[in-house]
Every structure is written in structure tokens, then in C-alpha cells.
Amino acid sequence: QPELKILEDENDGNTRWVQLMVPVTEGNRYKVGNFNFDGNTIVTGENLRPFFKLAEGDYYSEEKIRKGLDKAREVYGAGGYYEFTAYPDLAPRDAPDKSANDPTGPPGPAPTNGKSGPPIVDVTMRVQEGKQYFVNRITFHGNTTTRDNVIRREMRLVGAGVFNTEALE
């Protein structure tokens, strides 16, 4: 439970100084085991894998997952798949084996897999690619001093082409 302690109130009655204590339980630090992709058909897992700078045996890093997802989003967006989403599905190997337990009783002990050391988590990136989009027509509104053709020649998007999110930026 967080603990809140009031330290003092200012004379103006608008400011109160407090101390907030938040207990943290870190839990185990996991190393990466298997790293796979599921749901991707446009870009192979072999081509997606280099975006995620996590090798088997490295400590799991949410930051590296986020950066990998950003790179994957760029690649998919350049191909017109701007609805691309993905998330890591984590399967810690030290999780209790639910199938071996009586469903009415308490869970059994976590399997040790005969190994000691940091626990291992298998990662499966669940990918939803979405549809590929194309540009239909490009129109401009509100341009009073610059002609449409001047703006159009500076754009990297073209009508009937793939909706490339990088070109749009």
C-alpha cells in the first residue's frame, strides 16, 4: 500500500507538501529464451528479427521491444500498412504448470527445468498487419498563396500509389 504523509501546508492555503512512499517489489529479472513472431505474413520473422536488439540469453528489455516495434512500424508503414500493431506475448519458463495441477487446488511449485541461474522468458511477438492502403486522391484546402501544383511537386505521395507513412511525414 502506498503511504502518504503530509509534511506542511503553505500559508496561502493553495499548496501542501507531502511525502509519498510507494513500496516496490521488483520480482525476478528474466533472460530471453526463444524469440518468435506470430501473425506476420507480409514481412518474415527473419526480416523483422534484426529490429529487436535482444539475443537469446540477454536480459529482457521493454525499451528494446519498443524500439524494435517502432522500426517494424516504419517498415510496414512504408508499404502502406499503417494499421500495423504488435505486442510481446511473454511466457516465463518458471511459471507454474497449470495442466499438472488439480484445478480446484492450489498451484504446484514452479518447474526448475533442471537449471539454475536467472529465469528465462520466451517471447512471441503477436503481429497484426492490417490492410494495405493506397492513395486515392490528394486535395488541398486553405492554400491561398501557394498553388496546388507547387505543393504537389514537393510531396512524396502520389495518387494511386501506396500510402507510404514515411513519405507522408
Side-chain angles (χ1 to χ4, degrees):
Q1 278 288 36
E3 181 184 320
L4 181 67
K5 179 180 175 184
I6 298 171
L7 300 177
E8 76 177 272
D9 291 336
E10 293 290 334
N11 292 335
D12 64 7
N14 293 326
T15 305
R16 172 175 279 174
W17 297 95
V18 297
Q19 177 182 33
L20 179 62
M21 302 278 287
V22 179
V24 175
T25 304
E26 289 182 337
N28 292 326
R29 187 174 183 200
Y30 284 82
K31 287 196 172 187
V32 175
N34 298 325
F35 195 106
N36 298 305
F37 296 87
D38 182 54
N40 55 308
T41 57
I42 306 304
V43 180
T44 66
E46 182 179 277
N47 289 325
L48 286 172
R49 185 65 182 93
F51 300 142
F52 299 87
K53 304 296 185 194
L54 286 171
E56 186 175 341
D58 288 351
Y59 282 108
Y60 179 82
S61 167
E62 193 68 30
E63 179 183 0
K64 289 180 180 179
I65 293 290
R66 270 194 308 275
K67 285 181 179 180
L69 285 173
D70 288 345
K71 293 287 186 189
R73 210 169 281 117
E74 288 175 19
V75 168
Y76 273 94
Y81 293 89
Y82 81 91
E83 291 180 328
F84 165 85
T85 59
Y87 67 92
D89 187 2
L90 306 177
R93 292 183 187 174
D94 64 350
D97 183 6
K98 294 178 185 171
S99 64
N101 296 318
D102 176 1
T104 60
T112 61
N113 296 330
K115 297 178 183 176
S116 62
I120 295 172
V121 63
D122 293 325
V123 181
T124 302
M125 296 302 299
R126 303 289 180 195
V127 176
Q128 295 175 336
E129 296 168 322
K131 296 178 184 177
Q132 186 180 34
Y133 285 83
F134 295 86
V135 177
N136 181 24
R137 180 177 51 231
I138 300 171
T139 58
F140 304 95
H141 296 281
N143 52 323
T144 57
T145 56
T146 306
R147 294 176 164 232
D148 286 3
N149 64 332
V150 174
I151 298 171
R152 196 173 304 279
R153 75 174 179 227
E154 296 299 320
M155 290 188 65
R156 293 176 48 208
L157 282 178
V158 294
V162 169
F163 181 72
N164 181 335
T165 57
E166 288 187 324
L168 178 65
E169 287 180 25

